[in-house]
Coordinates of all heavy atoms in Angstrom, one line a residue:
A1 N -4.1 7.4 0.0 CA -3.5 8.4 -0.9 C -4.1 8.5 -2.1 O -4.2 9.6 -2.7 CB -2.0 7.8 -1.2
K2 N -4.6 7.3 -2.8 CA -5.3 7.5 -4.1 C -6.6 8.3 -3.9 O -6.9 9.1 -4.8 CB -5.7 6.0 -4.6 CG -4.5 5.2 -5.1 CD -4.2 5.4 -6.5 CE -3.3 4.4 -7.0 NZ -2.9 4.6 -8.5
T3 N -7.3 8.1 -2.8 CA -8.5 9.0 -2.5 C -8.1 10.4 -2.4 O -8.7 11.4 -3.0 CB -9.2 8.5 -1.2 OG1 -9.5 7.1 -1.4 CG2 -10.4 9.3 -1.0
A4 N -7.0 10.8 -1.7 CA -6.6 12.1 -1.6 C -6.1 12.7 -2.9 O -6.5 13.9 -3.2 CB -5.3 12.1 -0.7
H5 N -5.5 11.9 -3.8 CA -5.1 12.4 -5.1 C -6.4 12.7 -5.9 O -6.4 13.8 -6.5 CB -4.3 11.3 -5.8 CG -4.0 11.8 -7.2 ND1 -4.6 11.3 -8.3 CD2 -2.8 12.4 -7.6 CE1 -4.0 11.7 -9.3 NE2 -2.9 12.4 -9.0
R6 N -7.4 11.8 -5.9 CA -8.6 12.1 -6.6 C -9.3 13.4 -6.2 O -9.7 14.2 -6.9 CB -9.5 10.9 -6.6 CG -10.7 11.0 -7.4 CD -11.4 9.8 -7.6 NE -10.7 8.8 -8.4 CZ -11.2 7.6 -8.7 NH1 -12.3 7.1 -8.5 NH2 -10.4 6.9 -9.5
L7 N -9.4 13.5 -4.8 CA -10.1 14.6 -4.2 C -9.4 16.1 -4.7 O -10.1 16.9 -4.9 CB -10.2 14.6 -2.8 CG -11.2 13.4 -2.4 CD1 -11.2 13.3 -0.7 CD2 -12.6 13.8 -2.8
L8 N -8.1 16.0 -4.5 CA -7.3 17.1 -4.8 C -7.5 17.5 -6.3 O -7.5 18.7 -6.6 CB -5.8 17.0 -4.5 CG -5.6 17.0 -3.0 CD1 -4.1 16.5 -2.6 CD2 -5.6 18.3 -2.4
R9 N -7.4 16.4 -7.2 CA -7.6 16.8 -8.6 C -9.0 17.4 -9.0 O -9.0 18.3 -9.8 CB -7.3 15.5 -9.3 CG -5.9 15.0 -9.2 CD -4.9 15.9 -9.9 NE -4.9 16.0 -11.3 CZ -4.3 16.8 -12.1 NH1 -3.4 17.6 -11.5 NH2 -4.4 16.7 -13.4
L10 N -10.0 16.8 -8.2 CA -11.3 17.3 -8.4 C -11.5 18.8 -7.9 O -12.3 19.6 -8.5 CB -12.4 16.4 -7.6 CG -12.7 15.1 -8.2 CD1 -13.6 14.2 -7.3 CD2 -13.3 15.2 -9.6
C11 N -10.6 19.2 -7.0 CA -10.5 20.6 -6.5 C -9.7 21.4 -7.4 O -9.6 22.6 -7.0 CB -10.2 20.6 -5.0 SG -11.4 19.8 -4.0
G12 N -9.2 20.9 -8.4 CA -8.2 21.6 -9.3 C -6.8 21.8 -8.7 O -6.1 22.7 -9.3
R13 N -6.4 21.1 -7.8 CA -5.0 21.1 -7.2 C -4.1 20.0 -7.9 O -4.6 19.1 -8.5 CB -5.1 20.7 -5.7 CG -6.0 21.6 -4.9 CD -5.4 22.9 -4.7 NE -4.2 22.8 -3.8 CZ -4.3 22.8 -2.5 NH1 -5.4 22.9 -1.9 NH2 -3.1 22.7 -1.8
A14 N -2.7 20.4 -8.0 CA -1.9 19.5 -8.7 C -1.6 18.2 -8.0 O -1.3 17.3 -8.6 CB -0.6 20.3 -8.8
A15 N -1.9 18.0 -6.7 CA -1.8 16.8 -5.9 C -0.3 16.1 -6.1 O -0.2 15.0 -6.4 CB -2.8 15.8 -6.4
T16 N 0.6 17.0 -6.0 CA 2.0 16.5 -6.2 C 2.8 16.2 -4.9 O 3.9 15.6 -4.8 CB 2.9 17.5 -6.9 OG1 2.8 18.8 -6.2 CG2 2.3 17.7 -8.3
H17 N 2.2 16.5 -3.8 CA 2.8 16.3 -2.5 C 1.9 15.6 -1.4 O 2.3 14.6 -0.8 CB 3.3 17.7 -1.9 CG 3.9 17.5 -0.4 ND1 5.2 17.2 -0.3 CD2 3.3 17.7 0.9 CE1 5.4 17.2 1.0 NE2 4.3 17.5 1.7
T18 N 0.7 16.1 -1.3 CA -0.1 15.6 -0.3 C -0.4 14.0 -0.3 O -0.3 13.3 0.7 CB -1.5 16.3 -0.2 OG1 -1.3 17.7 0.0 CG2 -2.4 15.8 0.9
P19 N -0.6 13.5 -1.5 CA -0.8 12.0 -1.5 C 0.3 11.2 -1.0 O 0.2 10.4 -0.3 CB -1.1 11.7 -3.1 CG -1.6 13.0 -3.5 CD -1.0 14.1 -2.8
G20 N 1.5 11.6 -1.3 CA 2.7 11.0 -0.8 C 2.8 11.2 0.8 O 3.2 10.3 1.4
A21 N 2.4 12.4 1.2 CA 2.5 12.6 2.7 C 1.5 11.7 3.4 O 1.9 11.2 4.4 CB 2.3 14.1 3.0
V22 N 0.4 11.5 2.8 CA -0.6 10.6 3.5 C -0.2 9.2 3.5 O -0.2 8.6 4.6 CB -2.0 10.8 2.6 CG1 -3.0 9.6 3.2 CG2 -2.7 12.2 2.8
A23 N 0.4 8.8 2.3 CA 0.9 7.4 2.2 C 2.0 7.2 3.3 O 2.0 6.1 4.0 CB 1.4 7.2 0.9
T24 N 3.0 8.0 3.4 CA 4.1 7.8 4.2 C 3.7 8.0 5.7 O 4.5 7.5 6.7 CB 5.4 8.7 3.9 OG1 4.8 10.0 3.8 CG2 5.9 8.4 2.5
K25 N 2.7 8.8 6.0 CA 2.3 8.9 7.4 C 1.7 7.6 7.8 O 1.9 7.3 9.0 CB 1.2 10.1 7.5 CG 0.7 10.3 8.9 CD 1.9 11.0 9.7 CE 1.3 11.5 11.0 NZ 2.4 12.1 11.9
L26 N 0.8 7.0 7.0 CA 0.3 5.8 7.3 C 1.0 4.5 7.3 O 1.0 3.6 8.0 CB -1.1 5.7 6.5 CG -2.1 6.6 6.6 CD1 -3.3 6.3 5.6 CD2 -2.8 6.6 8.0
C27 N 2.1 4.7 6.3 CA 3.1 3.6 6.2 C 4.4 4.0 5.9 O 4.7 4.4 4.7 CB 2.5 2.6 5.0 SG 3.5 1.2 4.7
P28 N 5.2 4.2 6.9 CA 6.4 4.9 6.8 C 7.4 4.2 5.6 O 8.2 4.9 5.1 CB 7.1 4.8 8.1 CG 5.9 4.8 9.0 CD 4.9 4.0 8.3
D29 N 7.3 2.8 5.6 CA 8.1 2.3 4.5 C 7.3 1.9 3.3 O 7.5 0.9 2.6 CB 8.7 0.9 5.1 CG 7.7 0.0 5.6 OD1 6.5 0.3 5.7 OD2 8.0 -1.2 5.9
F30 N 6.4 2.8 2.9 CA 5.5 2.8 1.7 C 6.3 2.5 0.5 O 5.9 1.6 -0.3 CB 4.7 3.9 1.5 CG 3.6 3.9 0.6 CD1 2.5 3.3 0.8 CD2 4.0 4.5 -0.8 CE1 1.4 3.3 -0.2 CE2 3.0 4.4 -1.7 CZ 1.6 3.8 -1.5
L31 N 7.4 3.2 0.3 CA 8.2 3.0 -0.9 C 8.8 1.5 -1.1 O 9.1 1.1 -2.2 CB 9.5 4.0 -0.9 CG 9.2 5.3 -1.5 CD1 10.4 6.1 -1.4 CD2 8.9 5.3 -3.0
R32 N 9.0 0.8 0.1 CA 9.4 -0.5 0.0 C 8.6 -1.4 -0.9 O 9.0 -2.3 -1.6 CB 9.6 -1.1 1.4 CG 10.1 -2.6 1.5 CD 9.9 -3.1 2.8 NE 10.4 -2.4 3.9 CZ 11.7 -2.4 4.2 NH1 12.5 -3.3 3.8 NH2 12.1 -1.7 5.3
Y33 N 7.2 -1.1 -0.9 CA 6.3 -2.1 -1.4 C 5.8 -1.6 -2.8 O 5.1 -2.3 -3.6 CB 5.0 -2.2 -0.6 CG 5.4 -2.8 0.7 CD1 5.5 -2.0 2.0 CD2 5.7 -4.2 1.0 CE1 5.8 -2.5 3.2 CE2 6.2 -4.6 2.2 CZ 6.1 -3.9 3.3 OH 6.6 -4.3 4.5
L34 N 6.2 -0.5 -3.2 CA 5.9 0.0 -4.6 C 7.1 -0.4 -5.5 O 8.2 -0.2 -5.3 CB 6.0 1.6 -4.6 CG 4.8 2.5 -4.3 CD1 5.0 4.0 -4.3 CD2 3.7 2.1 -5.2
Q35 N 6.5 -1.2 -6.5 CA 7.5 -1.7 -7.5 C 7.9 -0.6 -8.5 O 7.0 0.3 -8.8 CB 6.8 -2.7 -8.3 CG 6.4 -4.0 -7.5 CD 5.7 -5.1 -8.3 OE1 6.2 -5.4 -9.5 NE2 4.8 -5.7 -7.8
K36 N 9.1 -0.5 -8.7 CA 9.7 0.6 -9.5 C 9.4 0.2 -11.0 O 9.2 -0.9 -11.4 CB 11.1 0.8 -9.4 CG 12.1 -0.1 -9.9 CD 13.6 0.2 -9.5 CE 14.5 -0.8 -10.1 NZ 14.6 -0.7 -11.5
P37 N 9.3 1.3 -11.9 CA 9.2 1.1 -13.4 C 10.4 0.2 -13.9 O 11.4 0.0 -13.1 CB 9.3 2.6 -14.0 CG 8.8 3.4 -12.8 CD 9.3 2.7 -11.6
E38 N 10.3 -0.3 -15.1 CA 11.3 -1.1 -15.7 C 12.7 -0.5 -15.6 O 13.7 -1.1 -15.4 CB 11.0 -1.4 -17.1 CG 11.8 -2.3 -17.9 CD 11.5 -2.5 -19.4 OE1 10.3 -2.4 -19.5 OE2 12.3 -2.9 -20.2
T39 N 12.8 0.8 -15.9 CA 14.0 1.6 -15.7 C 13.7 2.9 -14.8 O 12.7 3.5 -15.0 CB 14.5 2.1 -17.1 OG1 14.8 1.0 -18.0 CG2 15.9 2.8 -16.9
L40 N 14.6 3.1 -13.9 CA 14.4 4.1 -12.9 C 15.6 5.0 -13.1 O 16.8 4.7 -12.8 CB 14.2 3.7 -11.5 CG 14.1 4.8 -10.4 CD1 12.8 5.6 -10.8 CD2 14.1 4.2 -9.1
I41 N 15.3 6.4 -13.6 CA 16.4 7.5 -13.6 C 16.2 8.5 -12.6 O 15.1 9.0 -12.6 CB 16.5 8.0 -15.0 CG1 16.7 7.0 -16.1 CG2 17.4 9.1 -15.2 CD1 16.4 7.5 -17.5
C42 N 17.2 8.8 -11.8 CA 17.0 9.8 -10.8 C 18.0 11.0 -11.0 O 19.1 10.8 -11.6 CB 17.3 9.3 -9.4 SG 16.0 8.1 -8.7
V43 N 17.5 12.2 -10.8 CA 18.3 13.4 -11.1 C 18.5 14.2 -9.8 O 17.5 14.5 -9.1 CB 17.5 14.3 -12.1 CG1 18.3 15.5 -12.4 CG2 17.2 13.4 -13.4
T44 N 19.7 14.5 -9.3 CA 20.0 15.3 -8.1 C 21.0 16.3 -8.5 O 21.6 16.4 -9.6 CB 20.3 14.2 -7.1 OG1 20.2 14.9 -5.8 CG2 21.8 13.7 -7.3

């Protein structure tokens, strides 16, 4: 995902979706292992 993000940025793309799609495809519970920031605010 980090590699995808870097390549997309080099190509001038925003890289707001594809890195996450790559990560969750390879590891469906990817979010489980990402530590959240000190405070997490969600808006829906």
Side-chain angles (χ1 to χ4, degrees):
K2 290 274 192 185
T3 301
H5 178 269
R6 180 167 295 184
L7 290 173
L8 286 167
R9 296 295 288 174
L10 288 173
C11 294
R13 303 284 294 277
T16 57
H17 175 84
T18 301
V22 169
T24 53
K25 182 70 174 178
L26 295 175
C27 181
D29 57 349
F30 186 85
L31 269 177
R32 182 194 302 275
Y33 300 103
L34 269 178
Q35 297 179 40
K36 71 178 182 68
E38 184 180 336
T39 302
L40 181 62
I41 302 170
C42 289
V43 182
T44 196

